Amino acid sequence: MRNLLIMHLESLNRNNFLLNRDLFPFLCEIERQSVSFQKYFSTATSTLMAIGDILYGGMDQYETSETLDDVPETYIYESSLMDDLKKAGYHTGIYVYPDGNNRESAEEKHLAGFQNQMILKRDYKEYMEAFSEGMKTLPFALMSCNYISNSSFNKYALEGDGHDGFKRWDAGYRAMDEHVQDLFKLLKKNGVADSTVVLFYGDHGDDYWTHAFRYGMTHAIEPNALLTHTPFFIYDPKMEGRGIVDYDTLLCATDVRELVMDILEPQNEWLHKVKKSGRKYVFSRSAYAAQPIGNTRYFKGYAVCDGTYLLLVSPEGMEMYHILMDSDCHNNLLAHFYIDNGRLIDDLNAPEYYPEAIWGFWREATRRKVRQIFYFLREILYKETLRTYMAGGRSEGDMNEEMDFAHVSDR
């Protein structure tokens, strides 16, 4: 049986990973030896939501929660990924460093599973010793949740006080890269490097206030691509042809549970299986359905993405982006339209629209394409958002009262 190490890449979106390779020298080297999926999206914009989606393979478990700390009265899923692996004979362990941030409530709500815990280690040496001990019992399935690159915790990456936010941001990512290298050294030291598959995933990215200041929060806000488009790659030492970059396969956080079970199969045909998975879109959110909008700084929004276009709804209206052309989601493709009875109508008299634009990008063929994609994705987004509200014990009326499907956002 092969071993498994899951590496949580805290607060790292795909853009930052691609544009700041100097901060991640070891991580980039490992990615070059891995199968890297370029169209992986998180299903949530906050850490614990993303972890819950990954470990349970679904999004509905906690939708009845009015806060991130609420414990559900009933559970939809009977076990987590780590529970299943423990039952299959694996030694399991999930370790958190350097701070918990809702970890106590995560334990109360069985975020890690019903037979597993998220164990907090505030000292880095003790944190690494936990992995070293875990690797001595074979087979093992361990999960590293190093939160040091989180904007709340990157202060731990520097000694002393008074460091500015830019230095903390830089140091947090460098500490992440060093941590990955430290774990690979442990794999070699314990003689299990050739028998351990390492899965890397970004839980969410950060938006540095380009879509509004949002009380200074960088994530747990509406799920545009800066928040949801994250790195995802798998280092499999037994796979021939490593160094594969997969540009086409659409994956998301809720696919990880089944993917892990395929990876650990003796036949080692997981790549063939995942390429045949056939996912058409990813649905993401920034809050649980039961969370009230007026009582939280966790700005509520829902999005659906097909790997090229992303459609988002929030209390401020609707936004649509071509995330390959506009990866930061700054150009709302709906800006030159208004919605009338569900129909997307050209707003060619808007002050910012110029007649000359008709001969350039915004020609009729472009506007027609925007309308077609909007209608297609809006139907999916409405259906998925309603399903989530109902999972949270809420109604279609509640959804339409909170989410504005009837107007284009002017943000």
Side-chain angles (χ1 to χ4, degrees):
M1 297 173 71
R2 301 204 292 169
N3 307 303
L4 174 71
L5 177 60
I6 300 177
M7 294 286 294
H8 174 104
L9 304 178
E10 172 64 35
S11 297
L12 182 61
N13 63 29
R14 186 170 176 271
N15 277 11
N16 271 345
F17 184 55
L18 291 176
L19 295 175
N20 297 282
R21 309 295 267 186
D22 60 307
L23 299 179
F24 312 101
F26 188 79
L27 198 55
C28 290
E29 178 59 32
I30 293 300
E31 187 198 23
R32 284 190 284 269
Q33 302 174 46
S34 303
V35 181
S36 183
F37 294 91
Q38 302 298 292
K39 290 188 177 180
Y40 173 86
F41 294 84
S42 179
T43 49
T45 65
S46 63
T47 299
L48 294 183
M49 290 179 72
I51 289 175
D53 294 348
I54 284 172
L55 292 181
Y56 283 101
M59 300 171 64
D60 296 341
Q61 183 92 294
Y62 303 107
E63 292 299 326
T64 56
S65 301
E66 294 186 7
T67 72
L68 281 179
D69 293 324
D70 284 359
V71 177
E73 293 183 5
T74 58
Y75 289 88
I76 294 173
Y77 312 112
E78 296 181 354
S79 65
S80 71
L81 167 63
M82 288 301 200
D83 290 343
D84 291 348
L85 291 174
K86 177 175 280 191
K87 186 177 180 180
Y90 280 80
H91 169 72
T92 59
I94 304 176
Y95 301 104
V96 177
Y97 170 83
D99 208 331
N101 197 18
N102 303 102
R103 193 196 65 84
E104 291 80 6
S105 64
E107 287 306 303
E108 292 177 12
K109 64 201 293 184
H110 298 291
L111 190 76
F114 301 95
Q115 306 297 324
N116 285 273
Q117 292 180 304
M118 299 180 70
I119 301 173
L120 177 63
K121 299 288 185 181
R122 296 188 183 276
D123 179 80
Y124 188 70
K125 183 178 179 181
E126 293 180 4
Y127 177 65
M128 294 305 295
E129 286 175 351
F131 285 100
S132 185
E133 286 299 310
M135 292 175 187
K136 292 176 182 176
T137 304
L138 304 179
F140 61 78
L142 304 177
M143 184 171 179
S144 160
C145 294
N146 182 349
Y147 295 162
I148 202 164
S149 50
N150 185 292
S151 57
S152 296
F153 304 138
N154 53 27
K155 60 186 177 184
Y156 295 110
L158 293 168
E159 294 182 3
D161 298 324
H163 298 290
D164 62 51
F166 304 110
K167 288 182 179 178
R168 286 172 51 171
W169 173 86
D170 184 286
Y173 281 143
R174 291 187 188 279
M176 172 198 287
D177 191 71
E178 291 169 4
H179 171 58
V180 175
Q181 187 170 13
D182 287 345
L183 280 177
F184 268 74
K185 287 179 180 177
L186 273 185
L187 291 173
K188 289 184 179 180
K189 180 180 178 181
N190 286 280
V192 292
D194 292 335
S195 58
T196 303
V197 177
V198 188
L199 183 149
F200 299 84
Y201 76 92
D203 63 329
H204 56 73
D206 279 334
D207 178 356
Y208 298 107
W209 318 290
T210 62
H211 290 79
F213 191 59
R214 299 305 197 211
Y215 292 92
M217 296 183 68
T218 57
H219 53 261
I221 52 180
E222 299 93 333
N224 62 60
L226 281 172
L227 278 296
T228 61
H229 198 183
T230 64
F232 185 85
F233 49 99
I234 299 168
Y235 175 83
D236 185 344
K238 298 297 184 183
M239 174 175 285
E240 294 183 5
R242 286 181 292 151
I244 297 169
V245 180
D246 186 311
Y247 293 100
D248 300 319
T249 305
L250 192 61
L251 287 172
C252 73
T254 55
D255 296 327
V256 173
R257 180 177 183 173
E258 183 177 351
L259 175 56
V260 164
M261 301 309 289
D262 287 339
I263 288 171
L264 296 177
E265 284 289 326
Q267 294 84 359
N268 199 29
E269 296 180 352
W270 63 266
L271 183 57
H272 177 69
K273 287 185 178 181
V274 75
K275 283 179 174 290
K276 292 182 63 177
S277 60
R279 174 173 288 281
K280 302 299 183 184
Y281 61 85
V282 173
F283 177 66
S284 305
R285 80 284 198 218
S286 59
Y288 294 129
Q291 284 186 260
I293 288 178
N295 300 331
T296 180
R297 293 181 179 180
Y298 290 82
F299 287 87
K300 204 169 184 178
Y302 297 88
V304 64
C305 180
D306 66 1
T308 301
Y309 296 92
L310 182 146
L311 183 67
L312 186 150
V313 66
S314 74
E316 297 173 327
M318 304 205 71
E319 305 166 39
M320 192 170 90
Y321 302 98
H322 188 298
I323 66 168
L324 304 183
M325 182 177 73
D326 173 28
S327 60
D328 288 354
C329 295
H330 292 318
N331 173 36
N332 183 4
L333 295 172
L334 305 182
H336 301 305
F337 300 85
Y338 63 90
I339 300 173
D340 182 18
N341 245 357
R343 295 177 62 235
L344 198 61
I345 308 297
D346 286 299
D347 190 9
L348 301 184
N349 295 318
E352 67 274 15
Y353 190 88
Y354 298 96
E356 290 85 353
I358 295 175
W359 303 105
F361 180 83
W362 285 104
R363 61 188 64 196
E364 169 54 28
T366 306
R367 303 198 305 275
R368 183 168 60 249
K369 180 73 169 183
V370 169
R371 289 193 293 268
Q372 291 170 346
I373 298 297
F374 171 76
Y375 294 137
F376 174 70
L377 291 182
R378 184 186 182 277
E379 182 177 352
I380 296 172
L381 180 59
Y382 193 93
K383 177 190 69 175
E384 291 289 353
T385 306
L386 178 57
R387 182 195 60 76
T388 300
Y389 266 73
M390 294 183 71
R394 308 194 67 195
S395 68
E396 187 172 10
D398 294 331
M399 179 187 75
N400 284 316
E401 184 177 340
E402 293 184 347
M403 296 295 116
D404 188 354
F405 284 92
H407 298 93
V408 174
S409 171
D410 59 3
R411 175 157 59 87

